Amino acid sequence: RDTVLSSTATFDLGFSFGFTDKLTFAADIPFMMQTLGPGYGTDAPYTPFTDPAQERPGTGIYSTRPDSNLGPSNRPMGDVRVGSKYQFLDGDFRAAAQAVVYVPFGDEDVFAGSPSFTYEPKLIVEYGLGSRGLVALNAGARIRDGALVQTRQLDAQGRVVLNAGGNPTYIDHLYVGSEAFLGLGARVDITPRVGFLAEAYALMPISETGAPFCQIDCQNGDFTADGLFGVRLGLGDDTTVELAGGAGVVGSAARRDEFRALASLWWVP
């Protein structure tokens, strides 16, 4: 299986604002830099044909793109996220309900966003370990219209294969629809300014596409999970840096990360 995206670097610009001690509003804007992998295919020269039977669109994902002299973006913007959180339990045992909406600004042509709004309700539970850190569990769902990854079938000369109705023949590869989300994390503080972090999360399909799509040699839903380990460094009373790395743990997942590295800077005035 060829890699469609060789690498992705994301810069998230976000903020949160507390309306009350219990109600918080937050927003996040992701900016990306991506490198396309061999699985994305090879582009063909811009040579528009009026006869569909003579069209040579390129291979892989390129075969589904409109014929153009503009290539896919390697610096796309992702879907903007806005949400709110309400904490309804406090103390050593804390619990909150969170609702996030993904606004479809991302470039779906390079898998940087979804074609529709995504709604993410979530329950967050934390247990404080005093001055030693905390353990957190969150569970919810990502509810969205599904996205089907397809390529067009080509003959040996690179021309589009037409079906009996004279339309291009498509090959289905992957469908991703609504998913359940489960995450578990912990922070263990060694000193007031230094701590270790661990996190694991999984996305589990709760919807599939129906016939006639994704019937043969197609992954209908994509169960994926990642594990991360890192360190937390307090740079001052109001500034914190978090560094972490990890990888995907489900070998059959189409969206498996071979490796992930994260760096976060938090400023809380």
Side-chain angles (χ1 to χ4, degrees):
R1 184 170 60 188
D2 292 331
T3 302
V4 175
L5 296 176
S6 294
S7 64
T8 300
T10 304
F11 172 77
D12 287 277
L13 179 62
F15 73 92
S16 62
F17 176 81
F19 290 106
T20 69
D21 291 340
K22 296 182 178 295
L23 181 63
T24 303
F25 171 82
D28 178 85
I29 305 174
F31 301 92
M32 301 179 177
M33 293 182 62
Q34 299 190 145
T35 303
L36 302 179
Y40 201 90
T42 303
D43 200 5
Y46 177 55
T47 53
F49 288 94
T50 56
D51 181 4
Q54 298 302 317
E55 186 178 359
R56 292 180 173 87
T59 64
I61 306 299
Y62 279 107
S63 70
T64 63
R65 301 184 74 245
D67 205 1
S68 171
N69 57 357
L70 298 176
S73 173
N74 61 359
R75 290 180 173 83
M77 178 176 154
D79 289 345
V80 175
R81 290 170 287 179
V82 294
S84 62
K85 181 174 71 173
Y86 180 75
Q87 182 175 334
F88 55 86
L89 285 180
D90 202 356
D92 289 340
F93 182 82
R94 299 179 288 273
Q98 180 175 285
V100 177
V101 177
Y102 291 66
V103 184
F105 283 109
D107 186 354
E108 59 196 84
D109 190 37
V110 289
F111 308 101
S114 297
S116 64
F117 283 86
T118 299
Y119 306 94
E120 186 180 84
K122 184 186 296 184
L123 176 66
I124 303 170
V125 178
E126 291 184 358
Y127 181 73
L129 304 175
S131 61
R132 294 173 295 170
L134 59 85
V135 176
L137 172 71
N138 58 80
R142 290 180 180 172
I143 303 169
R144 59 192 168 203
D145 293 342
L148 180 64
V149 179
Q150 298 177 305
T151 57
R152 286 196 280 185
Q153 185 176 348
L154 308 176
D155 63 17
Q157 287 72 44
R159 292 189 294 261
V160 175
V161 174
L162 304 182
N163 59 25
N167 298 311
T169 301
Y170 284 86
I171 302 173
D172 301 334
H173 298 278
L174 171 68
Y175 175 81
V176 176
S178 296
E179 299 174 297
F181 176 93
L182 182 65
L184 177 65
R187 189 189 79 225
V188 178
D189 294 329
I190 306 303
T191 72
R193 294 188 183 275
V194 179
F196 292 107
L197 310 169
E199 180 184 4
Y201 69 87
L203 292 169
M204 298 156 282
I206 56 176
S207 70
E208 295 182 348
T209 187
F213 301 107
C214 210
Q215 299 298 300
I216 301 174
D217 296 329
C218 176
Q219 193 165 330
N220 201 344
D222 185 37
F223 170 64
T224 186
D226 275 31
L228 298 164
F229 298 92
V231 62
R232 171 183 173 273
L233 304 172
L235 303 183
D237 294 336
D238 54 9
T239 306
T240 303
V241 171
E242 294 180 353
L243 304 172
V249 296
V250 180
S252 61
R255 296 171 293 172
R256 183 177 69 90
D257 294 314
E258 293 186 0
F259 179 76
R260 291 185 65 192
L262 295 92
S264 303
L265 175 65
W266 301 87
W267 178 62
V268 182

